[in-house]
Amino acid sequence: MKKLSARRRHPLAAVVVLLLALAATGGLYAAFAPAGKAQADETAQSLAIEEGKKLYAVGCASCHGTGGQGTTDGPSLVGVGSAAVDFQVGTGRMPAQQPGAQVPKKKVIYSQAEIVQLAAYVASLGAGPITPTDKQVDPAGADVANGGELFRTNCAQCHNFTGKGGALTEGKYAPDLEGVSPKHIYEAMQTGPQSMPSFPDTTMPEQEKKDIIAYIETVNGDETESPGGLALGGLGPVSEGLFAWVFGLGALVAVAVWVAAHTAKAKKS
């Protein structure tokens, strides 16, 4: 009987062994921490949506409808995603001052925290493109040559070869891309604002978007040199030919007039 009692385990021994096993496999953390973290994240997201809804009611609902369904003054926001809100509000295009062929970029009136809240609310109305992370838009190590090829194939028709922008039909225009943040360039490719087509990851993968951003930053950087001298808007032979025609031909006409006038004086004398 004494021998059997000596071998009897303590009642808490099984609990200790279980906790040690959970700790060894990461199960202890999985059993407690993630649940609390997930709950905290969910609470923070809910608060952001609530605050965003208040901001939306004041600054957006008059054009886009109380539930984002759209009106005659503004399109539906259901399914546009947080990326579209971050681009439009983060560049000052929204809220729009007045209707027109195209909404121009202007001073941003919301703080970044408020933009995040607005984006959270609009994203809750329907799934859409998500605001990219800093890692997604970082062009470090990207292929600039490939970016240039992609840009000339997909973007140069409107933005021209170096992203200086250009006129479109019916009063619309492609904006100048110099000085635009990588995040907003990425979001524009994601969402296709105004006259621009969208390039989702299924059409243009994340790495190709990075390559294009790297190309734009390279050709518009402070250290970029123009071998021909004046860039003339980077428009190529059109602007260069016009410059040569106006100023070159004008100079030749002036020289011809000067020569003719002096020749006439020489004959009279």
Side-chain angles (χ1 to χ4, degrees), residues 111-129:
S111 68
Q112 185 57 42
E114 290 173 330
I115 293 173
V116 171
Q117 292 168 349
L118 270 171
Y121 171 67
V122 173
S124 71
L125 302 177

Side-chain angles (χ1 to χ4, degrees), residues 6 11 17 22 37 43 74 123 159 178 181 201 204 227 241 251 263:
V17 172
L22 286 171
K37 185 176 183 299
T43 302
H159 292 280
E178 184 175 3
S181 71
D201 288 345
M204 181 178 288
T263 302

Side-chain angles (χ1 to χ4, degrees), residues 68-108:
Q69 72 276 13
T71 68
T72 55
D73 295 322
S76 171
L77 298 182
V78 177
V80 301
S82 59
V85 178
D86 189 80
F87 173 82
Q88 296 287 356
V89 182
T91 59
R93 289 177 167 85
M94 290 291 158
Q97 290 180 333
Q98 60 185 14
Q102 184 161 322
V103 181
K105 180 180 179 181
K106 60 184 186 299
K107 184 179 179 181
V108 181

